[in-house]
Amino acid sequence: SAKMFPKDDTVLLAMYGATAGKASLLQINACTNQAICAIIPDKSVADPLYLKYKLDTMYDYLVRLSSGSARDNLSQAGIANLEVDLPPLSVQKKVASVLSSLDKKIALNKQINQNLEALARQLYDYWFVQFDFPNEEGKPYKSSGGKMVYDPILKREIPEGWEVIHLKDVIHHINTGLNPRDNFTFGGNIKYITVKNLTTNGNIDFSGCDTIDEEAREKVHKRSQIAVGDILYASICPLGRTYLISDEPNDWDINESVFSIRPNHSKITSEYLNMLLKDEYYISKLSNSSTGSIFLGIRIKQLEATNILLPNLDVLNEFS
């Protein structure tokens, strides 16, 4: 029953699960499973790429149309009966061309961000795993004979003068957002971030996130208190997904599955703590402390009690 669908001519629409209502243009010849509806437009009436963008604008409507006991299944019959207003084909092609150009620039920016994230991870590894941060003469510390001392907690050598300390001793607080439950309902222009929106690349993926209104955000913000310099941390496995807030979060807030960690900048920098929480050593350490019968997760008290390596503040400032 599998069918091969042609690339560039097939619009895919997710019917089941968390991505129900999401559209994409097929870019390779491929088959799909039953969770995806493949739409092959009459190209004398509808440009495939334009139709994909049109369905993007209908996402909220498609989600409302969906039905099902889990999250919401779209039916093939319901999709076939959608009414879609279309401008002339020449206009469709022009619009699709402009939006496609923007998408390519967005994809390029994402790739640049991923490359920068990889460079940051490499720098962190050199300085705080291999301990070859530059000394006062600008030479790599450990390989130039910098003094190392054994730490019984980490069970390894660390640079002299560095400390091993509980996370709670270098932060102001760890907060969470608010679950809608009896507090508010969805709907509005404020993005409502959950763990699924935090990526392994250190970004927030705003696509597909729920929304709340300003009244609901005020309730959430009283608890989350998110601000520039805070670190968002996904509390549910897989751990290690973080986001360092660099711009004022005026049009989004977080739910209770996301921790907001505020560093004490007289002791530690946001940039260092953000990278430390992505470190495989700490991911493994925290994962082993995870609890939960359905979703393994970390609790605030466990996170606060984690022993972390605290370098000299001048080294941290140089790294940041």
Side-chain angles (χ1 to χ4, degrees), residues 7 40-41 47 49 63 75 85 94 101 104 111 116 136 156 172 206 241 252-253 285 302:
K7 66 177 183 178
I40 303 177
D47 178 73
L49 186 56
V63 169
S75 71
D85 55 312
K94 289 179 181 178
S101 177
K104 289 175 182 177
Q111 185 60 54
L116 291 173
E136 293 179 356
R156 62 177 299 193
H172 288 295
F206 288 106
R241 289 169 291 159
W252 59 271
D253 220 300
K285 188 179 180 67
Q302 293 169 310

Side-chain angles (χ1 to χ4, degrees), residues 6 10 33 42-43 64 75 78 84-85 92 109 131 170 179 182 196 202 204 209 211 271 273 293 297:
T10 305
N33 71 356
D42 178 349
K43 293 173 72 174
R64 288 197 300 272
S75 71
V84 182
D85 55 312
Q92 292 180 45
N109 284 339
F131 303 124
V170 294
N179 189 294
D182 299 322
K196 71 181 181 182
I204 294 183
C209 67
T211 58
E271 292 79 9
L273 183 56
S293 57

Side-chain angles (χ1 to χ4, degrees), residues 17-88:
T19 57
K22 287 289 184 181
S24 182
L25 185 69
L26 186 62
Q27 296 180 331
I28 58 170
N29 296 322
C31 304
T32 72
N33 71 356
Q34 71 276 12
I36 298 174
C37 180
I39 306 165
I40 303 177
D42 178 349
K43 293 173 72 174
S44 67
V45 178
D47 178 73
L49 186 56
Y50 179 87
L51 181 59
K52 180 266 179 195
Y53 287 122
K54 180 64 181 177
L55 291 173
D56 285 344
T57 70
M58 298 172 66
Y59 173 75
D60 291 339
Y61 174 69
L62 292 169
V63 169
R64 288 197 300 272
L65 272 185
S66 60
S67 61
S69 57
R71 174 177 163 157
D72 325 343
N73 301 337
L74 289 166
S75 71
Q76 188 169 330
I79 294 170
N81 287 322
L82 285 175
E83 291 187 359
V84 182
D85 55 312
L86 298 173

Side-chain angles (χ1 to χ4, degrees), residues 148-162:
M148 305 290 290
V149 294
Y150 181 78
D151 181 79
I153 297 176
L154 296 183
K155 296 180 172 58
R156 62 177 299 193
E157 288 189 332
I158 63 174
E160 185 179 37
W162 291 17

Side-chain angles (χ1 to χ4, degrees), residues 135-199:
N135 62 16
E136 293 179 356
E137 292 78 34
K139 298 177 181 178
Y141 180 85
K142 187 175 180 180
S143 55
S144 297
K147 187 173 181 180
M148 305 290 290
V149 294
Y150 181 78
D151 181 79
I153 297 176
L154 296 183
K155 296 180 172 58
R156 62 177 299 193
E157 288 189 332
I158 63 174
E160 185 179 37
W162 291 17
E163 298 179 80
V164 176
I165 195 167
H166 288 132
L167 178 64
K168 68 179 180 180
D169 294 324
V170 294
I171 62 174
H172 288 295
H173 61 241
I174 300 178
N175 290 343
T176 67
L178 193 62
N179 189 294
R181 211 165 285 132
D182 299 322
N183 299 299
F184 55 86
T185 57
F186 290 130
N189 297 318
I190 309 297
K191 302 176 185 69
Y192 183 64
I193 303 303
T194 68
V195 289
K196 71 181 181 182
N197 301 113
L198 295 182
T199 73

